[in-house]
Amino acid sequence: MKLPKNAPPRDEDLIRDFHYIWHPCTQMKDHEAEPPLLIDRAEGLYLYDREGKGYLDCISSWWVNLFGHNHPHINRAITDQLQKMAHVMFAGITHQPAVDLAHKLIEWSSPNLTKVFFSDNGSTSVEVALKMSLQFWAQTGRPEKKRFIYLKGGYHGETLGALSVSGISLFRDKFEPVLMDNLEVEGPDCLRCPYGLTRDTCQAECFEPMEKALVEEHQNIAAVIVEPLVQGAAGMKMYPPVYLEKLQTTCETLRVHTIYDEVAVGFGRTGGLFVSEQLRHKPTFLCLSKGITSGYLPLAATLTEDRIYQAFYGDYETFKLFIHSHSYSANPLACAAANATFELFAEDGFWDALKERIATMKECGEVLKELKWCGEFRQTGLIGAVELVRDRDTLAEFPITQRVGYRIYKKALQRGLFLRPLGNVVYFIPPLVIDPDSIRSMMMTARDCIHDVLSEV
């Protein structure tokens, strides 16, 4: 494959990239005209290209970076661990970084969660929860409970098991013939609420489809899986805590497991360390990844209750053990980075400073609402999103052929912002340590980019 003759001049490494690399979630043909950003280093809030130009990392490098790039405390923790051991298998062997991390996770999460199973990414943390739930019911005399309920618009990863509980057609349609037979229900859609209500004052009347499905199908349902408060890949769709309260009560009554996928929303993103702990909820499983190492190394964890663990505990010949493993489970370097991340959360003043940053984002959101294309600015913690529409009265969307988000992305690069809009939704998930002035600069520059692009549409 060769670049077209009219392709812009580019670095030799970009040419090799085009020839040899297949990037995720990317139509590679786009890179004929617009090569990927070639990043040479990163520091604090910024990514720097080979020419030294800085780009504010508005989305924390796919939502993983919490305390800025190249953080000295995390660097030191990894370096210290590297002097001892880079990796060791985690079956029949343990090590202090993993023990320390498991202790911290249990200490900081909901009190019902007492056991930690390590894996290496968000999809696998979900796969672990799904498999544990299925095997629990099979080993406790309820093998008929083998389906899951998930929300339309939900996203839980791209391995086949995780895809089978994800409700976004873009990700799953091509694989539908081989996915598990699970049950999708209509989820919250607060911007286009069919009840004509608002998320600030409603009682989650939209829980009705979920309640109906649970009442009718609970005998066959192993678990319900949700992204609590924010459906990320769906366009940062946000919904009120009362929905989760109803879900917990109903699932407890009908003996159905709950899986909280906090891969994207955990570790401070919503204003507390975990949504489940923040709301005093008791999910059966808690799935974590992304920010767990502050974006340094791959790591994931699935937390669960002792009653789940006990269903797998017994003599060897019973074969009740959980047969699931990953080569890099509980990697010592990753665990060291995660432990250092927890130490930064525990520093004096961190949570008060985060409240100030959340307030600053809200203040800037009021300005974004003034855009005539703003269907809604919504915010949960330090996650903000503006949904762009052609008509504010009808909420008519921009057609996909206009590629509004992509054009805004390119305009933002010119002005030193790295955004990655989800369709017509421009969102902000900056590192948690972003200062108020940088929040204002980020959001006002984004506003100008939106205005300039949409004025030409």
Side-chain angles (χ1 to χ4, degrees):
M1 183 186 298
K2 294 183 178 180
L3 287 168
K5 291 181 179 179
N6 62 347
R10 58 184 67 178
D11 189 294
E12 174 64 27
D13 285 336
L14 287 174
I15 295 174
R16 291 195 298 146
D17 176 282
F18 185 79
H19 286 310
Y20 305 135
I21 296 179
W22 194 343
H23 287 271
C25 292
T26 300
Q27 173 45 260
M28 294 301 296
K29 192 173 189 296
D30 284 344
H31 287 328
E32 291 181 3
E34 191 72 34
L37 193 59
L38 180 55
I39 294 300
D40 202 49
R41 65 184 182 89
E43 187 77 31
L45 304 176
Y46 286 88
L47 310 170
Y48 294 92
D49 66 18
R50 190 158 285 179
E51 283 69 48
K53 181 178 178 179
Y55 303 85
L56 180 60
D57 190 355
C58 304
I59 62 165
S60 298
S61 293
W62 245 344
W63 323 348
V64 299
N65 190 283
L66 302 180
F67 291 97
H69 297 275
N70 202 22
H71 194 286
H73 183 67
I74 304 175
N75 288 357
R76 187 162 52 251
I78 295 173
T79 302
D80 290 347
Q81 178 57 42
L82 189 58
Q83 305 309 311
K84 302 174 184 177
M85 174 174 59
H87 183 64
V88 66
M89 68 181 291
F90 206 59
I93 293 176
T94 193
H95 51 78
Q96 186 174 345
V99 174
D100 289 346
L101 178 56
H103 185 201
K104 289 183 176 73
L105 288 167
I106 296 304
E107 187 177 33
W108 287 58
S109 60
S110 300
N112 66 304
L113 301 172
T114 59
K115 299 294 180 182
V116 179
F117 190 96
F118 289 112
S119 58
D120 57 11
N121 66 72
S123 292
T124 61
S125 72
V126 169
E127 296 280 352
V128 166
L130 299 176
K131 289 174 69 176
M132 281 184 177
S133 180
L134 289 173
Q135 191 171 339
F136 170 87
W137 291 118
Q139 291 178 179
T140 56
R142 298 294 305 275
E144 72 279 5
K145 291 172 78 68
K146 58 185 179 183
R147 300 182 74 199
F148 297 94
I149 296 180
Y150 62 93
L151 294 176
K152 183 178 180 180
Y155 173 82
H156 302 287
E158 292 167 43
T159 50
L160 289 178
L163 265 185
S164 75
V165 291
S166 294
I168 301 178
S169 58
L170 176 66
F171 293 101
R172 63 177 289 151
D173 276 1
K174 294 179 176 64
F175 309 101
E176 199 74 50
V178 297
L179 297 182
M180 295 167 60
D181 178 26
N182 294 317
L183 182 57
E184 178 182 281
V185 302
E186 196 70 35
D189 188 350
C190 296
L191 176 58
R192 297 172 175 82
C193 176
Y195 300 87
L197 304 171
T198 66
R199 69 170 64 83
D200 297 327
T201 58
C202 74
Q203 290 302 308
E205 284 78 1
C206 58
F207 185 71
E208 183 181 0
M210 175 68 78
E211 183 175 39
K212 183 175 185 292
L214 280 166
V215 169
E216 292 178 355
E217 300 290 339
H218 68 275
Q219 298 290 350
N220 302 312
I221 299 301
V224 175
I225 184 167
V226 293
E227 299 161 272
L229 298 185
V230 183
Q231 291 185 300
M236 301 301 155
K237 291 171 66 174
M238 301 175 186
Y239 60 94
V242 65
Y243 187 97
L244 296 170
E245 292 163 12
K246 289 185 172 183
L247 178 65
Q248 175 167 295
T249 299
T250 307
C251 286
E252 286 177 353
T253 301
L254 298 175
R255 296 193 65 212
V256 171
H257 295 157
T258 51
I259 302 172
Y260 274 30
D261 176 354
E262 297 201 37
V263 169
V265 300
F267 296 100
R269 293 295 184 194
T270 65
L273 193 65
F274 304 124
V275 173
S276 44
E277 190 278 332
Q278 192 178 350
L279 298 178
R280 307 257 188 266
H281 287 183
K282 297 178 180 179
T284 319
F285 300 95
L286 175 61
C287 301
L288 302 171
S289 189
K290 287 194 180 291
I292 193 170
T293 67
S294 199
Y296 269 72
L297 290 160
L299 184 67
T302 305
L303 280 60
T304 193
E305 302 173 325
D306 192 61
R307 70 184 176 101
I308 302 297
Y309 176 80
Q310 289 301 327
F312 294 77
Y313 197 88
D315 294 327
Y316 176 78
E317 59 269 21
T318 66
F319 288 101
K320 288 184 175 181
L321 73 164
F322 186 53
I323 304 291
H324 187 102
S325 60
H326 295 276
S327 300
Y328 287 92
S329 292
N331 170 262
L333 295 176
C335 289
N339 285 320
T341 296
F342 269 99
E343 288 163 5
L344 294 173
F345 276 121
E347 286 187 344
D348 288 344
F350 170 78
W351 294 103
D352 288 337
L354 183 59
K355 288 179 183 176
E356 180 186 359
R357 293 160 188 153
I358 291 169
T360 301
M361 180 175 280
K362 184 176 182 180
E363 166 196 317
C364 294
E366 294 300 314
V367 179
L368 285 170
K369 288 178 183 178
E370 297 172 5
L371 286 165
K372 69 178 184 178
W373 306 279
C374 177
E376 179 183 53
F377 176 80
R378 47 187 177 260
Q379 181 182 351
T380 299
L382 204 61
I383 304 172
V386 55
E387 182 160 342
L388 302 171
V389 295
R390 284 190 298 121
D391 187 300
R392 294 181 70 160
D393 294 328
T394 64
L395 298 178
E397 300 177 357
F398 287 98
I400 191 171
T401 53
Q402 292 186 330
R403 301 197 70 181
V404 163
Y406 183 61
R407 292 163 69 176
I408 292 168
Y409 155 79
K410 293 198 293 183
K411 182 72 71 174
L413 283 184
Q414 296 171 10
R415 299 182 184 180
L417 294 186
F418 181 74
L419 297 167
R420 189 178 170 90
L422 291 161
N424 296 328
V425 177
V426 177
Y427 70 92
F428 310 94
I429 306 185
L432 301 179
V433 293
I434 188 171
D435 59 280
D437 285 344
S438 294
I439 292 173
R440 294 186 187 97
S441 175
M442 170 182 72
M443 296 181 72
M444 294 306 98
T445 302
R447 176 201 59 184
D448 293 343
C449 293
I450 292 169
H451 180 274
D452 290 353
V453 168
L454 295 187
S455 293
E456 299 171 355
V457 170

